[in-house]
Amino acid sequence: MRTEKREVYVSDDGQVFESADACQAHEREIIAQQKRIEGLKVYFVTSGFDGTEGRGYHRRTYIITDASFAGVLQYCFDRFGDPLKPWYGTSCHEEWHIRETEHSATDALEKAKDRHYGVGDYADKVDVIFLSDKDIDHDELPNRTPFWPRQNS
């Protein structure tokens, strides 16, 4: 039997590395990812207008993204359809609408857990979409939904 002593490098998140360079590279990657998470935008979409009961909109969706607004808008067209739908012949109603929020991604994930109002099967349900062309390592974000190339539905 023999005993060895060796020097290892432990990053701030507890991972062990054989070299200082590898450890520092890992920590730089963690910092870059954290900055990316802080830079994510959050959009809130209400959809599924209740034309029969008149109680507003059924569904709530948070879109957390680093995509351009054009990419987010295209995703909404693909998922929710036309924003204006015919209503009693010559008028129309908004089938869905979108607004950018001031929430951070972390705030939106927490807010999505709160009680939201809806109708029928959609009461209290909120969708959270992570719309991006690159993965990100975050425990609470759902799996990435690519905004391009467009998905066939």
Side-chain angles (χ1 to χ4, degrees), residues 64-131:
I64 300 171
T65 187
D66 57 2
S68 67
F69 183 68
V72 174
L73 203 53
Q74 185 61 60
Y75 171 81
C76 290
F77 285 130
D78 292 345
R79 179 168 180 195
F80 303 114
D82 293 333
L84 297 177
K85 298 284 181 157
W87 184 258
Y88 289 109
T90 59
S91 71
C92 63
H93 72 275
E94 288 183 330
E95 182 64 18
W96 57 270
H97 51 91
I98 183 172
R99 66 180 171 84
E100 185 174 358
T101 71
E102 296 297 319
H103 297 305
S104 69
T106 304
D107 292 343
L109 290 167
E110 282 302 311
K111 197 163 179 58
K113 295 174 189 174
D114 291 344
R115 181 173 171 79
H116 288 72
Y117 296 95
V119 179
D121 291 341
Y122 295 104
D124 291 331
K125 291 186 181 175
V126 177
D127 289 336
V128 177
I129 305 296
F130 174 48
L131 192 65

Side-chain angles (χ1 to χ4, degrees), residues 25-36:
H26 173 75
E27 288 184 341
R28 281 191 299 272
E29 185 178 310
I30 296 289
I31 291 168
Q33 183 165 287
Q34 186 60 38
K35 284 184 181 181
R36 182 171 172 226

